Amino acid sequence: MEPQDVSVQEDAVDPGSQLMLRVDRPVYDEAFLRTQLLHRKEESSTCCQKLKDKFKCSSARAKAVALSFLPILTWLPSYPVKQYLFSDVISGLSTGVVQLPQGLAYALLAAVPPVYGLYSSFYPVLLYTFFGTSRHISMGTFAVVSLMIGGVAVREAPENLFLLPHINGSNSSVVYDEEALQARRVQVAVVLTTMVGIIQFVFGLLRFGFVAIYLTEPLVRGFTTAAAVHVVISQLKYLLGVKTKRFSGPLSALYSVTAVFSEIANTNVPTVLLGLACMVFLYGIKVLNERFKKKLPVPIPGEIMVVIVSTGVSYGLSLAQKHGVGIVGEIPSGLRAPAVPDFSLLPNLIPDAFAVAIVGFSMGISLAKTFALKHGYSVDGNQELIALGVCNFTGSFFHTFAITSSMSRSLVQESTGGKTQIAGLLSSLVVLLVVLAVGFVFQPLPQTALAAIIIVNLIGMFKQFRDIPSLWRTSKIELAIWLVSFIASVLLGLDYGLLAAIAFAIITVIYRTQSPKTSILGHVTNTGLYYDVDDYEEASEYEGIKIFHSNSPIYFANSDLYVNKVKEKTGVNPEGLQAAQKARRKQKEKENKEQNSPLKICAKYKDQTENVTHEVSPQSNEVQGVRNGELEDKHRESISEETIFLELLSSVHSIILDWTSASFIDSVGAKAIKQVIREYAAVDVRVVIAGCNRSVLEELDALQFFTGEFSTDMVFPTVHDAVLHCQNTRSRAPAASTEA
């Protein structure tokens, strides 16, 4: 097809203040673009050459790999000691003071002895200094991940497997073998952490950092809010001083609440009073830190103050011996020798490992990106996966459980002036000092104080309930994701709840593609722009042309809906037109038969008196001959009459499918488009495609779309090209009919 020369001019309202756009070019279609305008670059290298270049080894590439795998090498040699060291030291000490009580407290959530929380606050934090790309996040124990690990440990090592007969020999009175129970749960937590590290490390090598995008923000916030509910429920027994069984799996939250309230009569009053006092004090300190954060050089370390004071009170008043207050108990001094995890436990833990790995990475990368954006640097999601994998895998051999970044500690590290991960390194050394030298001091620490620390640190997560009214105003679908994530995680547990939330989020994506916004576009005079005629007064349709727009891809899940919307929005139903066309032909055939028989016209009408029927007898042979001549003329013009008839039913002669928003098309979608084009062609309505991007065109080529009656000259680069082509084609049609 020869391109038609068309001049397009954009007139600005104020030429002195606005840039002018003037385009004078032919009307392009895809056939012209491929043969005349666009030529693909020739690939100079073969597949073998590409593979050779990919795996080519050189000193520069080796250096780049080393710097990528060990980001510390990129900034440590040029570390500005005078500008950064003092700030990093203050930040590291402040973060370490917070790290210590949180490590002890979150070990309770992980169902392991508190000292393992200290191990998890040392080894992984030390390793992240070398492998991490974020300068401000604080690695270590985190409530959500610790709770997920604790749920798995309780499931794999339930208390009823470690029952022992009571010392009096009665079979009805039993106790637990605490030492064996704790040892087993530690083994479960450690081997789970090993698997989490392997998954994260392999995902990082495979450049799977994108997996975090499937955990959309409403999903994560609903999930973490549900996790906060689980955490608070799990700490109620420590806050009230009652002994109950720990539950895991679906409805574990309800079972735990029921168990706690069934023991409410056995509440330990000194435990409750001490726990409430710690909570009130911690909340007051947090309010002061938030209100005066600009005036305070460092935040007031409320957690360590609670730990020290409550430990002193417990030791001085002998709360454990005299009043039955639960305490931390033995904290062995020194570090344990490395050991190989018990991999015989691994088969049952693989699904849980994937859940913990993805949640841990999602928490870490979201926080890292937040601080990177604030301070003007970038983080590498794939390297963060590798760093987390190294921290968890290596740490598991030293008896740690899975870690990720903590918002509360990261805020402390950043707000106290931390510039690099030297601050994180120093915070881990603070924990090491406690483990090696003064760990025994915290043996009288009441568990209710640790529960108070955990609960108060979750206040920020409970503030996420404020998302609900905001999402109600902005996006009902995202609100549904938030609510489903929250409710499923509370009722089904964090593992199944996360899977349910991800599945629902994917379903919403499918729903959006199956229920896209569709519209008929109209042009804005003298602009070449096209907008929805229902939304904008300035947009008006061209006579006989319908421009259909849909903001979704075309694939198996929505192809039928797309076709139906085309027919509905354009108001042109080819099935109805074809049915009318068939009825017209039958009527013509009937008329032709009647012309060869005696013509009878029966007119019946009813007046005030009677029905009168008039019958007209056959005409003479001469008149009949004239009538037969007229029939011959009408037979020659049957095609044009049918065309006129269809035009009376529908004034639309062209439909333009605007594919500017179509990101992909599959074989089912391509077949549906072919079918609808054929249906419209049967009723003399031409369908063309506009705004199709190059990747979709490549998919159409791969699907062999442009074969037979479908050619590339039906595809146009812009809607305006398609409109001008349809107008020009229609204006030439009457002239061609006249010549025929």
Side-chain angles (χ1 to χ4, degrees):
M1 183 196 76
E2 287 295 329
Q4 303 297 317
D5 289 328
V6 177
S7 177
V8 179
Q9 178 172 331
E10 305 293 345
D11 294 327
V13 176
D14 186 2
S17 62
Q18 292 186 347
L19 294 174
M20 302 297 292
L21 172 64
R22 290 185 176 88
V23 180
D24 188 8
R25 66 167 177 82
V27 173
Y28 293 143
D29 58 28
E30 183 62 23
F32 180 81
L33 292 179
R34 294 188 179 192
T35 57
Q36 304 293 330
L37 192 63
L38 298 178
H39 303 283
R40 285 194 173 276
K41 293 181 178 179
E42 296 183 359
E43 295 186 3
S44 57
S45 58
T46 62
C47 294
C48 294
Q49 184 64 35
K50 289 180 179 179
L51 289 174
K52 184 178 179 180
D53 294 339
K54 183 71 175 178
F55 296 100
K56 183 179 179 181
C57 185
S58 64
S59 58
R61 175 161 291 187
K63 181 180 179 180
V65 171
L67 293 177
S68 174
F69 190 69
L70 287 170
I72 191 174
L73 298 178
T74 62
W75 56 267
L76 187 60
S78 59
Y79 181 78
V81 177
K82 293 183 179 180
Q83 291 87 352
Y84 284 4
L85 184 59
F86 180 75
S87 298
D88 280 340
V89 169
I90 297 298
S91 175
L93 295 176
S94 302
T95 307
V97 168
V98 178
Q99 185 96 265
L100 175 63
Q102 288 191 0
L104 293 169
Y106 293 153
L108 295 179
L109 296 177
V112 296
V115 69
Y116 292 93
L118 297 181
Y119 298 155
S120 302
S121 300
F122 169 61
Y123 290 108
V125 180
L126 178 66
L127 290 168
Y128 185 81
T129 303
F130 297 91
F131 295 95
T133 59
S134 175
R135 305 173 191 171
H136 295 91
I137 62 174
S138 174
M139 282 293 169
T141 56
F142 182 58
V144 175
V145 173
S146 300
L147 185 66
M148 295 178 73
I149 293 171
V152 177
V154 171
R155 185 193 71 206
E156 296 297 319
E159 294 173 344
N160 56 14
L161 294 182
F162 299 89
L163 296 177
L164 290 176
H166 196 271
I167 193 170
N168 61 15
S170 173
N171 291 330
S172 61
S173 180
V174 292
V175 294
Y176 301 117
D177 185 349
E178 288 288 342
E179 185 176 348
L181 176 63
Q182 291 185 355
R184 188 63 169 178
R185 288 180 175 177
V186 168
Q187 289 178 341
V188 173
V190 167
V191 73
L192 175 63
T193 301
T194 305
M195 192 63 198
V196 168
I198 292 173
I199 292 171
Q200 291 174 330
F201 186 78
V202 171
F203 274 17
L205 292 179
L206 297 177
R207 325 306 287 175
F208 273 18
F210 67 87
V211 297
I213 65 176
Y214 292 102
L215 298 181
T216 178
E217 184 179 0
L219 185 151
V220 171
R221 292 175 73 85
F223 175 78
T224 53
T225 307
V229 173
H230 279 281
V231 170
V232 170
I233 291 173
S234 71
Q235 296 307 296
L236 287 178
K237 65 179 183 179
Y238 299 111
L239 197 63
L240 298 176
V242 298
K243 295 186 180 298
T244 63
K245 179 182 176 181
R246 182 164 177 173
F247 299 90
S248 63
L251 302 181
S252 59
L254 300 180
Y255 295 147
S256 298
V257 171
T258 303
V260 169
F261 280 101
S262 66
E263 296 288 334
I264 198 73
N266 300 323
T267 299
N268 187 291
V269 176
T271 299
V272 174
L273 294 178
L274 181 59
L276 291 177
C278 293
M279 289 179 63
V280 171
F281 176 78
L282 284 172
Y283 182 75
I285 293 297
K286 284 193 173 292
V287 172
L288 290 176
N289 284 335
E290 182 65 27
R291 180 169 297 182
F292 300 105
K293 61 182 178 181
K294 294 183 179 179
K295 298 181 180 180
L296 293 172
V298 294
I300 302 172
E303 286 91 349
I304 195 64
M305 293 170 65
V306 164
V307 168
I308 294 173
V309 172
S310 61
T311 301
V313 171
S314 175
Y315 178 78
L317 299 179
S318 300
L319 294 180
Q321 294 79 12
K322 295 182 179 180
H323 302 283
V325 175
I327 60 174
V328 168
E330 182 183 1
I331 298 180
S333 298
L335 299 172
R336 297 187 61 180
V340 178
D342 184 3
F343 289 105
S344 64
L345 302 171
L346 193 59
N348 294 336
L349 306 180
I350 293 178
D352 303 288
F354 275 97
V356 174
I358 294 174
V359 170
F361 171 64
S362 177
M363 299 293 180
I365 193 63
S366 60
L367 202 57
K369 287 183 177 180
T370 299
F371 285 113
L373 183 63
K374 181 178 179 180
H375 294 277
Y377 63 94
S378 61
V379 292
D380 183 353
N382 295 309
Q383 180 59 30
E384 285 296 299
L385 265 174
I386 292 175
L388 279 172
V390 170
C391 291
N392 285 318
F393 178 77
T394 307
S396 67
F397 288 85
F398 294 89
H399 316 285
T400 68
F401 54 85
I403 55 91
T404 186
S405 61
S406 165
M407 177 172 288
S408 59
R409 291 195 309 272
S410 299
L411 290 173
V412 171
Q413 183 168 318
E414 187 254 356
S415 63
T416 52
K419 305 296 184 183
T420 65
Q421 281 300 329
I422 294 295
L425 175 64
L426 293 174
S427 70
S428 68
L429 296 180
V430 171
V431 176
L432 177 63
L433 177 64
V434 172
V435 172
L436 294 178
V438 295
F440 65 92
V441 173
F442 298 105
Q443 291 180 4
L445 174 61
Q447 292 179 336
T448 186
L450 296 179
I453 292 173
I454 293 172
I455 293 173
V456 173
N457 276 313
L458 294 174
I459 291 176
M461 290 189 182
F462 283 111
K463 289 181 179 179
Q464 293 176 151
F465 278 112
R466 298 174 182 173
D467 295 346
I468 295 177
S470 175
L471 291 175
W472 174 261
R473 292 190 297 268
T474 57
S475 174
K476 303 294 190 300
I477 292 180
E478 290 188 339
L479 174 61
I481 294 174
W482 196 104
L483 292 175
V484 168
S485 178
F486 174 77
I487 295 172
S489 299
V490 169
L491 296 180
L492 303 179
L494 297 182
D495 45 4
Y496 294 115
L498 178 63
L499 291 176
I502 293 175
F504 182 78
I506 294 175
I507 290 173
T508 62
V509 175
I510 298 174
Y511 168 77
R512 291 188 186 194
T513 60
Q514 287 188 316
S515 302
K517 177 177 174 55
T518 57
S519 57
I520 294 296
L521 304 184
H523 73 288
V524 179
T525 306
N526 295 327
T527 64
L529 303 177
Y530 294 82
Y531 296 102
D532 191 345
V533 295
D534 293 331
D535 292 342
Y536 301 98
E537 296 178 355
E538 294 80 6
S540 58
E541 297 183 61
Y542 288 107
E543 182 180 357
I545 299 176
K546 292 287 185 179
I547 307 171
F548 177 79
H549 174 82
S550 176
N551 59 353
S552 72
I554 307 169
Y555 67 116
F556 67 93
N558 72 345
S559 58
D560 289 340
L561 178 66
Y562 184 91
V563 170
N564 292 335
K565 283 293 183 180
V566 169
K567 297 175 181 178
E568 176 187 337
K569 283 287 186 178
T570 59
V572 182
N573 189 338
E575 291 89 350
L577 291 178
Q578 285 180 325
Q581 188 177 21
K582 290 180 180 179
R584 175 66 174 176
R585 288 173 179 171
K586 290 181 179 179
Q587 181 181 358
K588 293 290 293 181
E589 291 175 359
K590 184 178 180 181
E591 290 178 356
N592 291 338
K593 291 180 181 179
E594 290 177 350
Q595 296 298 334
N596 297 324
S597 61
L599 183 62
K600 293 185 178 181
I601 301 177
C602 297
K604 296 183 179 180
Y605 62 92
K606 184 176 182 180
D607 59 15
Q608 296 179 352
T609 57
E610 58 180 347
N611 291 335
V612 179
T613 300
H614 299 271
E615 181 175 320
V616 182
S617 57
Q619 297 175 325
S620 64
N621 292 336
E622 182 180 354
V623 176
Q624 186 69 32
V626 174
R627 187 171 298 277
N628 289 337
E630 293 176 356
L631 287 174
E632 291 178 2
D633 294 336
K634 290 182 180 180
H635 180 70
R636 298 190 192 100
E637 298 173 358
S638 60
I639 297 177
S640 60
E641 286 184 358
E642 289 180 2
T643 302
I644 296 172
F645 173 73
L646 291 175
E647 288 180 350
L648 292 175
L649 291 178
S650 173
S651 60
V652 176
H653 56 76
S654 300
I655 294 177
I656 300 172
L657 304 180
D658 179 15
W659 282 10
T660 53
S661 299
S663 56
F664 68 90
I665 186 171
D666 67 359
S667 60
V668 177
K671 290 178 182 177
I673 295 301
K674 278 189 171 184
Q675 181 61 29
V676 78
I677 292 175
R678 290 192 183 100
E679 290 177 1
Y680 277 113
V683 293
D684 199 31
V685 176
R686 186 178 185 190
V687 178
V688 298
I689 300 168
C692 187
N693 63 60
R694 308 310 299 178
S695 63
V696 174
L697 283 169
E698 291 175 1
E699 292 172 353
L700 291 175
D701 288 333
L703 295 170
Q704 298 182 349
F705 183 87
F706 300 111
T707 56
E709 70 268 34
F710 304 98
S711 60
T712 52
D713 61 2
M714 63 181 294
V715 181
F716 299 87
T718 68
V719 173
H720 202 58
D721 284 287
V723 168
L724 295 174
H725 169 79
C726 292
Q727 288 179 327
N728 183 69
T729 302
R730 192 63 181 176
S731 64
R732 291 188 301 179
S737 299
T738 303
E739 293 175 3

